[in-house]
């Protein structure tokens, strides 16, 4: 029988390269899901035709964030992701607190997306095959497949996600270029990128939705132990993912503004969000594209959840290895070197959570999705803000990078912008959750509770990365090449 004792070594090294990590990240961000599910809300409730400019602003903030993040990643290769970065910069207690926040945020984000998966599976079967099933049937089937893929080598998931990403991006780009080639509703112009258009509507809400559509790119750090040449691959994957995602959404937002007309786009999106994308595709690409896009949308939501599943399993593995979660989660598969116990436990958590919503009679999209996506986004954006602060603290102490731009200015600007976005999310909580009552207004307190538990936990043996950090302080300053 294979030895499945708790492993203290790393996950399988050198198993995924730059392209595979970028595919994993872009699949987690879910271009198709974001385009169909969130862009209409960004147009209708937020910045209208100026949504393309909102993505440009958010891209600048995230590039600034990535500058410091890339520099720090050259000195860290750990599956713990952001909580290790925060721990090395702001202390072990903060690292543990943010590790629990990350665990909660990724889990609720994933469960939220399962709601859209089940909801749109029924829309597709009702429209084209004339039948519907309880949405929980589709979701549990998807969770079972996801758990199976998560059990194997990460390269298996990367290949599945790679195919999904190529197909979903291809159909959206086909729609974009069809709109631009045909001249849109009233000719091609650059008004969506103008400050006047960007500021003419609800700028805060538009930026909020734009940030939400980047959630998932931060998971590059989680794959550091499995990456080939992680000190080079992880930074390159992070900046590549940000630029690709930003370019995709800027182009798509601009094209949709052209498709409906700069003055009319916001009204169309607000009046009929479901038809905003499909109507443009049918008009400029053909009716056939609607069925293809609906199928790929379902595939995209599954791909997103597979990406989050891999991220959560690695978070659980890293927390267990550091002594902050049950040791059983530290087990890795002797052949696939995947965190298979973390994958199994995460699969069970997802199934239990969606079953709870189903039994309670919650709507999978209007309730489960909207409530939990807001909670997960708030937690992950807050983590990114703390990571930027950790970058400043880490390099101030270790002097491993000497560029003031890399170690202070860029992460400081990112920290302020990300913190402001977290405040916006809380201030607009009712809008995001459709003014739901009951316990929904108090959901953000779960993040504070997770952080408090982690921060107050009694000290045990220091994790390996914390011991390394104590060594960092004693080292002579080591200058490395600054981010160009």
């Amino acid at each position: 029988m294979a030895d499945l004792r708790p492993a203290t070594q790393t996950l399988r090294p050198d198993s995924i390269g730059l392209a595979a990590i970028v595919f994993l990240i872009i699949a987690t961000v879910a271009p198709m899901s974001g385009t169909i599910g969130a862009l209409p809300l960004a147009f209708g409730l937020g910045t209208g035709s100026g949504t393309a400019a909102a993505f440009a602003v958010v891209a600048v903030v995230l590039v600034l964030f990535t500058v410091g993040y890339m520099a720090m990643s050259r000195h860290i290769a750990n599956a713990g992701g952001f909580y290790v970065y925060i721990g090395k910069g702001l202390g072990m207690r903060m690292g543990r607190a943010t590790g629990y926040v990350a665990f909660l945020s990724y889990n609720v984000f994933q469960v939220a997306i399962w709601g859209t998966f089940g909801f749109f599976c029924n829309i597709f079967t009702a429209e084209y095959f004339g039948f519907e099933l309880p949405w929980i049937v589709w979701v549990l089937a998807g969770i079972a497949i996801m758990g199976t893929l998560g059990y194997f080598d990460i390269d298996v998931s990367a290949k599945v996600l790679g195919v999904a990403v190529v197909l979903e991006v291809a159909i959206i780009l086909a729609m974009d270029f069809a709109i631009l080639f045909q001249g849109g509703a009233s000719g091609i112009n650059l008004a969506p990128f103008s400050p006047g258009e960007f500021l003419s509507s609800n700028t805060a809400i538009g930026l909020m939705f734009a940030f939400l559509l980047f959630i998932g790119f931060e998971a590059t750090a989680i794959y550091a132990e499995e990456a080939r040449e992680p000190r080079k691959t992880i930074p390159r994957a992070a900046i590549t993912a940000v630029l690709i995602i930003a370019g995709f959404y800027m182009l798509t937002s601009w094209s949709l503004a052209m498709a409906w007309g700069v003055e009319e786009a916001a009204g169309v999106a607000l009046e009929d969000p479901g038809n905003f994308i499909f109507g443009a595709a049918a008009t400029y690409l053909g009716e056939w594209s609607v069925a293809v896009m609906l199928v790929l949308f379902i595939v995209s939501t599954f791909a997103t959840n597979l990406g989050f599943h891999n991220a959560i399993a690695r978070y659980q593995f890293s927390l267990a290895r550091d002594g902050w979660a049950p040791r059983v989660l530290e087990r890795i598969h002797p052949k696939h070197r995947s965190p298979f116990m973390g994958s199994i436990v995460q699969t069970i958590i997802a199934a239990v959570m969606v079953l709870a919503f189903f039994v309670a009679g919650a709507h999978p999209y209007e309730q489960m999705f909207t409530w939990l996506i807001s909670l997960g986004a708030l937690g992950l954006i807050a983590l990114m803000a703390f990571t930027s602060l950790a970058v400043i603290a880490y390099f101030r102490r270790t002097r491993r990078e000497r560029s003031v731009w890399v170690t202070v200015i860029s992460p400081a600007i990112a920290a302020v912008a990300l913190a402001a976005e977290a405040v916006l999310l809380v201030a607009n909580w009712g809008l995001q959750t459709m003014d739901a009552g009951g316990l929904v207004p108090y959901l953000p307190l779960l993040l504070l509770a997770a952080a408090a538990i982690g921060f107050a936990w009694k000290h045990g043996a220091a994790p390996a990365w914390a011991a390394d950090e104590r060594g960092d302080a004693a080292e002579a300053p080591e200058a490395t090449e600054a981010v160009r």
Side-chain angles (χ1 to χ4, degrees):
M1 182 175 177
D3 182 11
L4 297 180
R5 291 173 298 175
T8 55
Q9 68 268 40
T10 62
L11 301 169
R12 183 188 293 276
D14 300 325
S15 58
I16 48 176
L18 175 64
I21 295 175
V22 171
F23 274 126
L24 282 165
I25 299 309
I26 295 177
T28 303
V29 172
M32 177 68 78
S33 294
T35 298
I36 294 175
L39 266 189
L41 299 177
F43 270 83
L45 300 174
T47 39
S49 292
T51 298
F55 279 109
V57 172
V58 171
V60 171
V61 171
L62 293 181
V63 167
L64 290 173
F65 166 82
T66 306
V67 168
Y69 166 63
M70 285 194 303
M72 197 167 176
S73 72
R74 287 199 291 271
H75 310 287
I76 300 172
N78 187 288
F82 282 170
Y83 89 78
V84 173
Y85 285 60
I86 292 169
K88 288 179 78 70
L90 303 179
M92 187 170 65
R93 291 167 72 93
M94 282 296 295
R96 185 169 51 222
T98 51
Y100 290 173
V101 170
F103 174 73
L104 173 62
S105 301
Y106 277 118
N107 268 288
V108 298
F109 213 98
Q110 185 197 55
V111 173
I113 296 170
W114 280 124
T116 63
F117 179 82
F119 180 70
F120 280 95
C121 278
N122 266 344
I123 288 179
F124 176 74
T125 57
E127 178 71 22
Y128 295 99
F129 298 99
F131 75 91
E132 293 185 35
L133 295 174
W135 63 266
I136 193 66
V137 174
W138 303 111
V139 172
L140 291 179
I143 289 174
I145 297 171
M146 175 192 70
T148 302
L149 290 173
Y151 182 86
F152 293 104
D153 192 309
I154 184 64
D155 193 47
V156 176
S157 293
K159 290 174 180 176
V160 172
L161 294 177
V163 173
V165 167
V166 169
L167 292 176
E168 64 186 83
V169 170
I171 190 67
I172 295 293
L173 290 180
M175 178 190 72
D176 293 343
F177 288 121
I179 292 168
L180 298 176
F181 181 77
Q182 296 174 47
S186 54
I188 304 301
N189 60 73
L190 297 178
F193 294 99
S194 67
E197 197 65 39
F198 171 59
L199 298 172
S200 63
S201 300
N202 196 333
T203 305
I205 300 299
L207 288 172
M208 179 185 70
F209 279 111
F211 265 110
L212 289 177
L213 291 176
F214 279 88
I215 293 296
F217 101 93
E218 76 283 353
T220 47
I222 296 172
Y223 300 106
E225 290 185 18
E226 297 157 284
R228 302 186 189 105
E229 298 185 278
R231 297 181 187 276
K232 295 180 180 179
T233 301
I234 296 302
R236 291 172 182 172
I239 195 66
T240 300
V242 169
L243 294 177
I244 290 175
I245 295 163
F248 173 84
Y249 280 124
M250 288 167 63
L251 173 63
T252 301
S253 299
W254 176 46
S255 301
L256 289 167
M258 297 297 98
W260 296 107
V262 173
E263 301 297 329
E264 293 78 18
V268 173
L270 190 60
E271 181 180 349
D272 189 2
N275 189 54
F276 186 66
I277 306 298
F278 292 129
T283 300
Y284 293 94
L285 199 56
E287 291 289 344
W288 63 270
S289 65
V290 175
V292 174
M293 291 177 73
L294 188 54
V295 171
L296 290 178
F297 176 77
I298 295 170
V299 173
S300 177
T301 56
F302 175 82
T304 301
N305 270 342
L306 181 56
F308 275 110
H309 175 86
N310 284 314
I312 298 165
R314 280 151 182 79
Y315 254 104
Q316 291 175 157
F317 164 80
S318 191
L319 286 169
R321 184 173 58 183
D322 292 339
W324 298 344
R327 286 293 186 182
V328 68
L329 298 175
E330 191 183 1
R331 286 174 151 182
I332 59 177
H333 197 280
K335 177 181 178 182
H336 305 299
R337 297 293 297 278
S338 62
F340 79 106
M341 284 303 302
S343 176
I344 292 171
V345 170
Q346 205 289 308
T347 302
I348 295 171
I349 290 173
V352 169
M353 289 182 69
V354 297
L355 279 169
F357 274 91
F358 177 74
V359 171
H363 191 281
Y365 185 75
E366 296 177 5
Q367 293 176 319
M368 190 169 88
F369 173 77
T370 57
W371 299 348
L372 297 185
I373 203 76
S374 301
L375 181 62
L378 176 60
L380 294 174
I381 289 175
L383 282 176
M384 292 169 67
F386 276 105
T387 300
S388 292
L389 295 176
V391 169
I392 298 172
Y394 177 78
F395 287 122
R396 181 178 177 83
R397 181 171 62 255
T398 65
R399 305 294 182 184
R400 287 188 156 198
E401 300 281 348
R402 295 184 177 179
S403 167
V404 176
W405 168 254
V406 171
T407 62
V408 179
I409 298 175
S410 178
I413 296 172
V416 171
L418 289 163
E421 175 59 19
V423 171
L424 284 176
L425 288 170
V426 174
N428 293 280
W429 193 256
L431 174 62
Q432 297 176 79
T433 58
M434 298 184 178
D435 294 316
L439 297 177
V440 176
Y442 304 100
L443 285 178
L445 295 178
L446 291 175
L447 298 172
L448 294 179
I453 292 170
F455 196 80
W457 193 290
K458 184 179 179 180
H459 281 292
W465 56 262
D468 290 342
E469 178 54 30
R470 289 196 296 270
D472 285 342
E475 291 179 3
E478 175 188 351
T480 58
E481 184 180 3
V483 177
R484 296 189 181 277

